[in-house]
PDB file of all heavy atoms in Angstrom:
ATOM      1  N   CYS A1086       0.815  -1.125   0.080  1.00  0.00           N
ATOM      2  CA  CYS A1086      -0.015   0.036  -0.062  1.00  0.00           C
ATOM      3  C   CYS A1086       0.848   1.247  -0.036  1.00  0.00           C
ATOM      4  O   CYS A1086       1.853   1.367   0.893  1.00  0.00           O
ATOM      5  CB  CYS A1086      -0.944   0.073   1.243  1.00  0.00           C
ATOM      6  SG  CYS A1086      -1.890   1.491   1.428  1.00  0.00           S
ATOM      7  N   THR A1087       0.564   2.151  -0.977  1.00  0.00           N
ATOM      8  CA  THR A1087       1.416   3.365  -1.030  1.00  0.00           C
ATOM      9  C   THR A1087       0.596   4.603  -0.492  1.00  0.00           C
ATOM     10  O   THR A1087       1.258   5.648  -0.361  1.00  0.00           O
ATOM     11  CB  THR A1087       1.830   3.586  -2.480  1.00  0.00           C
ATOM     12  OG1 THR A1087       0.625   3.749  -3.320  1.00  0.00           O
ATOM     13  CG2 THR A1087       2.703   2.537  -3.028  1.00  0.00           C
ATOM     14  N   GLN A1088      -0.658   4.477  -0.152  1.00  0.00           N
ATOM     15  CA  GLN A1088      -1.473   5.518   0.446  1.00  0.00           C
ATOM     16  C   GLN A1088      -2.145   5.039   1.794  1.00  0.00           C
ATOM     17  O   GLN A1088      -3.361   4.893   1.716  1.00  0.00           O
ATOM     18  CB  GLN A1088      -2.384   6.016  -0.470  1.00  0.00           C
ATOM     19  CG  GLN A1088      -1.944   6.620  -1.794  1.00  0.00           C
ATOM     20  CD  GLN A1088      -2.934   7.266  -2.615  1.00  0.00           C
ATOM     21  OE1 GLN A1088      -3.673   8.190  -2.144  1.00  0.00           O
ATOM     22  NE2 GLN A1088      -3.058   6.945  -3.926  1.00  0.00           N
ATOM     23  N   PRO A1089      -1.370   4.736   2.719  1.00  0.00           N
ATOM     24  CA  PRO A1089      -2.026   4.201   4.030  1.00  0.00           C
ATOM     25  C   PRO A1089      -2.940   5.251   4.573  1.00  0.00           C
ATOM     26  O   PRO A1089      -2.749   6.459   4.400  1.00  0.00           O
ATOM     27  CB  PRO A1089      -0.769   4.014   4.894  1.00  0.00           C
ATOM     28  CG  PRO A1089       0.364   4.786   4.339  1.00  0.00           C
ATOM     29  CD  PRO A1089       0.072   4.821   2.907  1.00  0.00           C
ATOM     30  N   TYR A1090      -3.936   4.772   5.333  1.00  0.00           N
ATOM     31  CA  TYR A1090      -4.928   5.705   5.884  1.00  0.00           C
ATOM     32  C   TYR A1090      -4.912   5.543   7.406  1.00  0.00           C
ATOM     33  O   TYR A1090      -4.989   4.476   7.971  1.00  0.00           O
ATOM     34  CB  TYR A1090      -6.272   5.192   5.285  1.00  0.00           C
ATOM     35  CG  TYR A1090      -7.465   5.970   5.942  1.00  0.00           C
ATOM     36  CD1 TYR A1090      -7.429   7.428   5.886  1.00  0.00           C
ATOM     37  CD2 TYR A1090      -8.597   5.290   6.444  1.00  0.00           C
ATOM     38  CE1 TYR A1090      -8.626   8.108   6.329  1.00  0.00           C
ATOM     39  CE2 TYR A1090      -9.709   6.104   6.945  1.00  0.00           C
ATOM     40  CZ  TYR A1090      -9.654   7.541   6.928  1.00  0.00           C
ATOM     41  OH  TYR A1090     -10.702   8.193   7.413  1.00  0.00           O
ATOM     42  N   ALA A1091      -4.868   6.705   8.065  1.00  0.00           N
ATOM     43  CA  ALA A1091      -4.822   6.797   9.510  1.00  0.00           C
ATOM     44  C   ALA A1091      -6.280   6.815   9.926  1.00  0.00           C
ATOM     45  O   ALA A1091      -6.938   7.989  10.038  1.00  0.00           O
ATOM     46  CB  ALA A1091      -4.116   7.998  10.031  1.00  0.00           C
ATOM     47  N   ALA A1092      -7.043   5.688  10.232  1.00  0.00           N
ATOM     48  CA  ALA A1092      -8.446   5.694  10.556  1.00  0.00           C
ATOM     49  C   ALA A1092      -8.680   5.859  11.967  1.00  0.00           C
ATOM     50  O   ALA A1092      -7.887   5.456  12.878  1.00  0.00           O
ATOM     51  CB  ALA A1092      -8.914   4.324  10.046  1.00  0.00           C
ATOM     52  N   SER A1093      -9.782   6.460  12.223  1.00  0.00           N
ATOM     53  CA  SER A1093     -10.327   6.362  13.739  1.00  0.00           C
ATOM     54  C   SER A1093     -10.646   5.027  14.008  1.00  0.00           C
ATOM     55  O   SER A1093     -10.825   4.108  13.209  1.00  0.00           O
ATOM     56  CB  SER A1093     -11.541   7.205  13.793  1.00  0.00           C
ATOM     57  OG  SER A1093     -12.365   7.130  15.081  1.00  0.00           O
ATOM     58  N   VAL A1094     -10.688   4.739  15.351  1.00  0.00           N
ATOM     59  CA  VAL A1094     -10.884   3.286  15.907  1.00  0.00           C
ATOM     60  C   VAL A1094     -12.369   3.030  15.881  1.00  0.00           C
ATOM     61  O   VAL A1094     -12.937   2.011  16.200  1.00  0.00           O
ATOM     62  CB  VAL A1094     -10.364   3.017  17.302  1.00  0.00           C
ATOM     63  CG1 VAL A1094      -8.794   3.074  17.236  1.00  0.00           C
ATOM     64  CG2 VAL A1094     -10.951   4.000  18.292  1.00  0.00           C
ATOM     65  N   PHE A1095     -13.214   4.183  15.447  1.00  0.00           N
ATOM     66  CA  PHE A1095     -14.702   4.108  15.513  1.00  0.00           C
ATOM     67  C   PHE A1095     -15.194   4.746  14.210  1.00  0.00           C
ATOM     68  O   PHE A1095     -14.992   5.996  14.175  1.00  0.00           O
ATOM     69  CB  PHE A1095     -15.248   4.696  16.796  1.00  0.00           C
ATOM     70  CG  PHE A1095     -16.663   4.446  16.965  1.00  0.00           C
ATOM     71  CD1 PHE A1095     -17.243   3.251  16.752  1.00  0.00           C
ATOM     72  CD2 PHE A1095     -17.520   5.448  17.402  1.00  0.00           C
ATOM     73  CE1 PHE A1095     -18.633   3.054  16.946  1.00  0.00           C
ATOM     74  CE2 PHE A1095     -18.872   5.374  17.721  1.00  0.00           C
ATOM     75  CZ  PHE A1095     -19.401   4.071  17.423  1.00  0.00           C
ATOM     76  N   ASN A1096     -15.776   3.985  13.366  1.00  0.00           N
ATOM     77  CA  ASN A1096     -16.299   4.554  12.034  1.00  0.00           C
ATOM     78  C   ASN A1096     -17.678   4.026  11.731  1.00  0.00           C
ATOM     79  O   ASN A1096     -18.281   3.252  12.364  1.00  0.00           O
ATOM     80  CB  ASN A1096     -15.342   4.036  10.935  1.00  0.00           C
ATOM     81  CG  ASN A1096     -13.971   4.560  11.196  1.00  0.00           C
ATOM     82  OD1 ASN A1096     -13.542   5.730  11.104  1.00  0.00           O
ATOM     83  ND2 ASN A1096     -12.996   3.570  11.612  1.00  0.00           N
ATOM     84  N   ILE A1097     -18.262   4.770  10.579  1.00  0.00           N
ATOM     85  CA  ILE A1097     -19.642   4.339  10.127  1.00  0.00           C
ATOM     86  C   ILE A1097     -19.514   3.131   9.338  1.00  0.00           C
ATOM     87  O   ILE A1097     -18.767   3.072   8.279  1.00  0.00           O
ATOM     88  CB  ILE A1097     -20.301   5.560   9.455  1.00  0.00           C
ATOM     89  CG1 ILE A1097     -20.254   6.766  10.292  1.00  0.00           C
ATOM     90  CG2 ILE A1097     -21.724   5.197   9.046  1.00  0.00           C
ATOM     91  CD1 ILE A1097     -20.654   8.134   9.572  1.00  0.00           C
ATOM     92  N   SER A1098     -20.318   2.098   9.644  1.00  0.00           N
ATOM     93  CA  SER A1098     -20.374   0.883   8.921  1.00  0.00           C
ATOM     94  C   SER A1098     -21.198   1.025   7.632  1.00  0.00           C
ATOM     95  O   SER A1098     -21.860   2.013   7.287  1.00  0.00           O
ATOM     96  CB  SER A1098     -21.005  -0.162   9.822  1.00  0.00           C
ATOM     97  OG  SER A1098     -20.730  -1.559   9.257  1.00  0.00           O
ATOM     98  N   ALA A1099     -21.129  -0.066   6.843  1.00  0.00           N
ATOM     99  CA  ALA A1099     -21.667   0.035   5.433  1.00  0.00           C
ATOM    100  C   ALA A1099     -23.143   0.169   5.521  1.00  0.00           C
ATOM    101  O   ALA A1099     -23.882  -0.730   5.993  1.00  0.00           O
ATOM    102  CB  ALA A1099     -21.404  -1.138   4.772  1.00  0.00           C
ATOM    103  N   MET A1100     -23.704   1.229   4.861  1.00  0.00           N
ATOM    104  CA  MET A1100     -25.091   1.394   4.666  1.00  0.00           C
ATOM    105  C   MET A1100     -25.358   2.271   3.471  1.00  0.00           C
ATOM    106  O   MET A1100     -24.862   3.358   3.185  1.00  0.00           O
ATOM    107  CB  MET A1100     -25.746   2.215   5.898  1.00  0.00           C
ATOM    108  CG  MET A1100     -25.763   1.546   7.273  1.00  0.00           C
ATOM    109  SD  MET A1100     -26.486   2.489   8.650  1.00  0.00           S
ATOM    110  CE  MET A1100     -25.115   3.682   8.878  1.00  0.00           C
ATOM    111  N   SER A1101     -26.077   1.689   2.531  1.00  0.00           N
ATOM    112  CA  SER A1101     -26.137   2.171   1.159  1.00  0.00           C
ATOM    113  C   SER A1101     -27.103   3.287   0.971  1.00  0.00           C
ATOM    114  O   SER A1101     -28.099   3.379   1.749  1.00  0.00           O
ATOM    115  CB  SER A1101     -26.456   1.088   0.094  1.00  0.00           C
ATOM    116  OG  SER A1101     -25.516   0.078   0.055  1.00  0.00           O
ATOM    117  N   PHE A1102     -26.866   4.240   0.096  1.00  0.00           N
ATOM    118  CA  PHE A1102     -27.896   5.123  -0.329  1.00  0.00           C
ATOM    119  C   PHE A1102     -28.904   4.192  -1.172  1.00  0.00           C
ATOM    120  O   PHE A1102     -28.602   3.491  -2.087  1.00  0.00           O
ATOM    121  CB  PHE A1102     -27.356   6.239  -1.308  1.00  0.00           C
ATOM    122  CG  PHE A1102     -28.394   7.057  -2.069  1.00  0.00           C
ATOM    123  CD1 PHE A1102     -29.318   7.761  -1.190  1.00  0.00           C
ATOM    124  CD2 PHE A1102     -28.516   7.182  -3.363  1.00  0.00           C
ATOM    125  CE1 PHE A1102     -30.396   8.481  -1.907  1.00  0.00           C
ATOM    126  CE2 PHE A1102     -29.469   7.902  -3.917  1.00  0.00           C
ATOM    127  CZ  PHE A1102     -30.401   8.488  -3.296  1.00  0.00           C
ATOM    128  N   GLY A1103     -30.192   4.394  -0.707  1.00  0.00           N
ATOM    129  CA  GLY A1103     -31.163   3.440  -1.285  1.00  0.00           C
ATOM    130  C   GLY A1103     -31.783   2.762  -0.118  1.00  0.00           C
ATOM    131  O   GLY A1103     -33.030   2.747   0.095  1.00  0.00           O
ATOM    132  N   ALA A1104     -30.900   2.248   0.758  1.00  0.00           N
ATOM    133  CA  ALA A1104     -31.309   1.663   2.013  1.00  0.00           C
ATOM    134  C   ALA A1104     -31.580   2.771   3.001  1.00  0.00           C
ATOM    135  O   ALA A1104     -32.619   2.912   3.630  1.00  0.00           O
ATOM    136  CB  ALA A1104     -30.388   0.721   2.639  1.00  0.00           C
ATOM    137  N   LEU A1105     -30.763   3.915   2.917  1.00  0.00           N
ATOM    138  CA  LEU A1105     -30.839   5.097   3.809  1.00  0.00           C
ATOM    139  C   LEU A1105     -31.280   6.190   2.850  1.00  0.00           C
ATOM    140  O   LEU A1105     -31.080   6.142   1.571  1.00  0.00           O
ATOM    141  CB  LEU A1105     -29.571   5.455   4.397  1.00  0.00           C
ATOM    142  CG  LEU A1105     -29.095   4.473   5.444  1.00  0.00           C
ATOM    143  CD1 LEU A1105     -27.910   5.136   6.269  1.00  0.00           C
ATOM    144  CD2 LEU A1105     -30.127   4.032   6.361  1.00  0.00           C
ATOM    145  N   SER A1106     -31.958   7.194   3.341  1.00  0.00           N
ATOM    146  CA  SER A1106     -32.345   8.340   2.592  1.00  0.00           C
ATOM    147  C   SER A1106     -31.182   9.230   2.228  1.00  0.00           C
ATOM    148  O   SER A1106     -30.059   9.185   2.821  1.00  0.00           O
ATOM    149  CB  SER A1106     -33.426   9.147   3.341  1.00  0.00           C
ATOM    150  OG  SER A1106     -32.762   9.782   4.491  1.00  0.00           O
ATOM    151  N   ALA A1107     -31.521  10.102   1.256  1.00  0.00           N
ATOM    152  CA  ALA A1107     -30.499  11.099   0.905  1.00  0.00           C
ATOM    153  C   ALA A1107     -29.961  12.020   2.008  1.00  0.00           C
ATOM    154  O   ALA A1107     -28.850  12.270   2.214  1.00  0.00           O
ATOM    155  CB  ALA A1107     -30.996  11.919  -0.253  1.00  0.00           C
ATOM    156  N   ASN A1108     -30.962  12.407   2.810  1.00  0.00           N
ATOM    157  CA  ASN A1108     -30.686  13.217   3.988  1.00  0.00           C
ATOM    158  C   ASN A1108     -29.834  12.488   5.037  1.00  0.00           C
ATOM    159  O   ASN A1108     -28.966  13.101   5.699  1.00  0.00           O
ATOM    160  CB  ASN A1108     -32.100  13.750   4.550  1.00  0.00           C
ATOM    161  CG  ASN A1108     -32.671  14.798   3.743  1.00  0.00           C
ATOM    162  OD1 ASN A1108     -32.353  15.046   2.701  1.00  0.00           O
ATOM    163  ND2 ASN A1108     -33.584  15.737   4.361  1.00  0.00           N
ATOM    164  N   ALA A1109     -30.214  11.227   5.242  1.00  0.00           N
ATOM    165  CA  ALA A1109     -29.401  10.445   6.169  1.00  0.00           C
ATOM    166  C   ALA A1109     -27.949  10.378   5.734  1.00  0.00           C
ATOM    167  O   ALA A1109     -27.008  10.548   6.487  1.00  0.00           O
ATOM    168  CB  ALA A1109     -29.933   9.045   6.327  1.00  0.00           C
ATOM    169  N   ILE A1110     -27.700  10.047   4.443  1.00  0.00           N
ATOM    170  CA  ILE A1110     -26.399   9.941   3.877  1.00  0.00           C
ATOM    171  C   ILE A1110     -25.687  11.230   4.039  1.00  0.00           C
ATOM    172  O   ILE A1110     -24.385  11.243   4.531  1.00  0.00           O
ATOM    173  CB  ILE A1110     -26.423   9.515   2.446  1.00  0.00           C
ATOM    174  CG1 ILE A1110     -26.976   8.088   2.257  1.00  0.00           C
ATOM    175  CG2 ILE A1110     -25.049   9.679   1.861  1.00  0.00           C
ATOM    176  CD1 ILE A1110     -26.161   7.037   2.850  1.00  0.00           C
ATOM    177  N   GLN A1111     -26.311  12.433   3.714  1.00  0.00           N
ATOM    178  CA  GLN A1111     -25.622  13.714   3.858  1.00  0.00           C
ATOM    179  C   GLN A1111     -25.124  13.901   5.227  1.00  0.00           C
ATOM    180  O   GLN A1111     -24.207  14.341   5.570  1.00  0.00           O
ATOM    181  CB  GLN A1111     -26.600  14.810   3.461  1.00  0.00           C
ATOM    182  CG  GLN A1111     -26.936  14.781   1.994  1.00  0.00           C
ATOM    183  CD  GLN A1111     -27.871  16.058   1.733  1.00  0.00           C
ATOM    184  OE1 GLN A1111     -27.490  17.116   1.751  1.00  0.00           O
ATOM    185  NE2 GLN A1111     -29.089  15.633   1.276  1.00  0.00           N
ATOM    186  N   ALA A1112     -26.125  13.700   6.164  1.00  0.00           N
ATOM    187  CA  ALA A1112     -25.767  13.895   7.677  1.00  0.00           C
ATOM    188  C   ALA A1112     -24.676  13.015   8.193  1.00  0.00           C
ATOM    189  O   ALA A1112     -23.869  13.499   8.926  1.00  0.00           O
ATOM    190  CB  ALA A1112     -27.080  13.652   8.564  1.00  0.00           C
ATOM    191  N   LEU A1113     -24.650  11.825   7.784  1.00  0.00           N
ATOM    192  CA  LEU A1113     -23.622  10.842   8.242  1.00  0.00           C
ATOM    193  C   LEU A1113     -22.295  11.324   7.683  1.00  0.00           C
ATOM    194  O   LEU A1113     -21.245  11.273   8.425  1.00  0.00           O
ATOM    195  CB  LEU A1113     -23.880   9.435   7.672  1.00  0.00           C
ATOM    196  CG  LEU A1113     -24.976   8.581   8.330  1.00  0.00           C
ATOM    197  CD1 LEU A1113     -25.267   7.424   7.628  1.00  0.00           C
ATOM    198  CD2 LEU A1113     -24.632   8.392   9.883  1.00  0.00           C
ATOM    199  N   ASN A1114     -22.344  11.615   6.437  1.00  0.00           N
ATOM    200  CA  ASN A1114     -20.897  12.084   5.828  1.00  0.00           C
ATOM    201  C   ASN A1114     -20.428  13.384   6.364  1.00  0.00           C
ATOM    202  O   ASN A1114     -19.303  13.671   6.562  1.00  0.00           O
ATOM    203  CB  ASN A1114     -21.003  12.248   4.259  1.00  0.00           C
ATOM    204  CG  ASN A1114     -19.702  12.264   3.559  1.00  0.00           C
ATOM    205  OD1 ASN A1114     -19.263  13.265   3.131  1.00  0.00           O
ATOM    206  ND2 ASN A1114     -19.022  11.070   3.601  1.00  0.00           N
ATOM    207  N   ALA A1115     -21.448  14.404   6.638  1.00  0.00           N
ATOM    208  CA  ALA A1115     -21.014  15.610   7.204  1.00  0.00           C
ATOM    209  C   ALA A1115     -20.531  15.453   8.607  1.00  0.00           C
ATOM    210  O   ALA A1115     -19.523  16.159   9.045  1.00  0.00           O
ATOM    211  CB  ALA A1115     -22.235  16.561   7.206  1.00  0.00           C
ATOM    212  N   GLY A1116     -21.033  14.604   9.409  1.00  0.00           N
ATOM    213  CA  GLY A1116     -20.423  14.331  10.695  1.00  0.00           C
ATOM    214  C   GLY A1116     -19.234  13.618  10.657  1.00  0.00           C
ATOM    215  O   GLY A1116     -18.264  13.914  11.439  1.00  0.00           O
ATOM    216  N   ALA A1117     -19.077  12.762   9.719  1.00  0.00           N
ATOM    217  CA  ALA A1117     -17.740  12.086   9.512  1.00  0.00           C
ATOM    218  C   ALA A1117     -16.681  13.051   9.222  1.00  0.00           C
ATOM    219  O   ALA A1117     -15.540  13.031   9.638  1.00  0.00           O
ATOM    220  CB  ALA A1117     -17.845  10.990   8.516  1.00  0.00           C
ATOM    221  N   LYS A1118     -17.075  14.044   8.218  1.00  0.00           N
ATOM    222  CA  LYS A1118     -16.058  15.038   7.823  1.00  0.00           C
ATOM    223  C   LYS A1118     -15.703  15.966   8.939  1.00  0.00           C
ATOM    224  O   LYS A1118     -14.494  16.129   9.240  1.00  0.00           O
ATOM    225  CB  LYS A1118     -16.712  15.995   6.782  1.00  0.00           C
ATOM    226  CG  LYS A1118     -15.995  17.157   6.415  1.00  0.00           C
ATOM    227  CD  LYS A1118     -14.618  16.897   5.663  1.00  0.00           C
ATOM    228  CE  LYS A1118     -13.952  18.034   5.053  1.00  0.00           C
ATOM    229  NZ  LYS A1118     -12.725  17.728   4.389  1.00  0.00           N
ATOM    230  N   ARG A1119     -16.609  16.281   9.783  1.00  0.00           N
ATOM    231  CA  ARG A1119     -16.261  17.165  11.005  1.00  0.00           C
ATOM    232  C   ARG A1119     -15.429  16.397  12.048  1.00  0.00           C
ATOM    233  O   ARG A1119     -14.504  17.025  12.700  1.00  0.00           O
ATOM    234  CB  ARG A1119     -17.587  17.615  11.712  1.00  0.00           C
ATOM    235  CG  ARG A1119     -17.386  18.556  12.747  1.00  0.00           C
ATOM    236  CD  ARG A1119     -18.627  19.110  13.282  1.00  0.00           C
ATOM    237  NE  ARG A1119     -18.670  19.758  14.593  1.00  0.00           N
ATOM    238  CZ  ARG A1119     -19.581  20.248  15.279  1.00  0.00           C
ATOM    239  NH1 ARG A1119     -20.806  19.971  14.786  1.00  0.00           N
ATOM    240  NH2 ARG A1119     -19.504  20.935  16.383  1.00  0.00           N
ATOM    241  N   GLY A1120     -15.731  15.148  12.297  1.00  0.00           N
ATOM    242  CA  GLY A1120     -15.053  14.314  13.226  1.00  0.00           C
ATOM    243  C   GLY A1120     -13.819  13.654  12.765  1.00  0.00           C
ATOM    244  O   GLY A1120     -13.092  13.049  13.591  1.00  0.00           O
ATOM    245  N   GLY A1121     -13.552  13.703  11.511  1.00  0.00           N
ATOM    246  CA  GLY A1121     -12.315  13.056  10.972  1.00  0.00           C
ATOM    247  C   GLY A1121     -12.267  11.530  11.000  1.00  0.00           C
ATOM    248  O   GLY A1121     -11.295  10.930  11.306  1.00  0.00           O
ATOM    249  N   PHE A1122     -13.592  10.983  10.754  1.00  0.00           N
ATOM    250  CA  PHE A1122     -13.616   9.506  10.740  1.00  0.00           C
ATOM    251  C   PHE A1122     -14.240   8.977   9.391  1.00  0.00           C
ATOM    252  O   PHE A1122     -14.691   9.836   8.621  1.00  0.00           O
ATOM    253  CB  PHE A1122     -14.366   8.907  11.959  1.00  0.00           C
ATOM    254  CG  PHE A1122     -15.817   9.577  12.132  1.00  0.00           C
ATOM    255  CD1 PHE A1122     -16.940   8.895  11.706  1.00  0.00           C
ATOM    256  CD2 PHE A1122     -15.942  10.769  12.769  1.00  0.00           C
ATOM    257  CE1 PHE A1122     -18.158   9.351  11.974  1.00  0.00           C
ATOM    258  CE2 PHE A1122     -17.172  11.349  12.976  1.00  0.00           C
ATOM    259  CZ  PHE A1122     -18.339  10.544  12.585  1.00  0.00           C
ATOM    260  N   ALA A1123     -14.219   7.699   9.129  1.00  0.00           N
ATOM    261  CA  ALA A1123     -14.626   7.232   7.919  1.00  0.00           C
ATOM    262  C   ALA A1123     -16.167   6.776   7.776  1.00  0.00           C
ATOM    263  O   ALA A1123     -16.736   6.313   8.696  1.00  0.00           O
ATOM    264  CB  ALA A1123     -13.707   5.988   7.608  1.00  0.00           C
ATOM    265  N   HIS A1124     -16.621   6.909   6.503  1.00  0.00           N
ATOM    266  CA  HIS A1124     -18.003   6.560   6.230  1.00  0.00           C
ATOM    267  C   HIS A1124     -17.988   5.565   5.203  1.00  0.00           C
ATOM    268  O   HIS A1124     -17.609   5.804   3.957  1.00  0.00           O
ATOM    269  CB  HIS A1124     -18.621   7.907   5.767  1.00  0.00           C
ATOM    270  CG  HIS A1124     -20.110   7.680   5.326  1.00  0.00           C
ATOM    271  ND1 HIS A1124     -20.860   8.743   4.689  1.00  0.00           N
ATOM    272  CD2 HIS A1124     -21.017   6.698   5.471  1.00  0.00           C
ATOM    273  CE1 HIS A1124     -22.139   8.289   4.479  1.00  0.00           C
ATOM    274  NE2 HIS A1124     -22.191   6.983   4.978  1.00  0.00           N
ATOM    275  N   ASP A1125     -18.306   4.355   5.475  1.00  0.00           N
ATOM    276  CA  ASP A1125     -18.504   3.216   4.476  1.00  0.00           C
ATOM    277  C   ASP A1125     -19.679   3.496   3.615  1.00  0.00           C
ATOM    278  O   ASP A1125     -20.811   3.633   4.138  1.00  0.00           O
ATOM    279  CB  ASP A1125     -18.533   1.814   5.193  1.00  0.00           C
ATOM    280  CG  ASP A1125     -18.306   0.700   4.253  1.00  0.00           C
ATOM    281  OD1 ASP A1125     -18.957   0.705   3.201  1.00  0.00           O
ATOM    282  OD2 ASP A1125     -17.440  -0.136   4.621  1.00  0.00           O
TER     283      ASP A1125
END
């Protein structure tokens, strides 16, 4: 691996757009951006 990722020890697990609403996906990703953790 040439681009290792420093991940938080606590991240958002896999939930697809379609299973979740557009607003839910936006909120999850905005929260992940602010907290510096990953969104599957």
Side-chain angles (χ1 to χ4, degrees):
C1086 174
T1087 59
Q1088 297 189 55
Y1090 178 54
S1093 170
V1094 297
F1095 189 43
N1096 301 288
I1097 302 172
S1098 196
M1100 295 181 284
S1101 301
F1102 170 58
L1105 298 192
S1106 67
N1108 285 18
I1110 293 295
Q1111 290 181 69
L1113 288 172
N1114 196 256
K1118 173 67 173 179
R1119 182 176 170 187
F1122 54 101
H1124 178 192
D1125 194 311

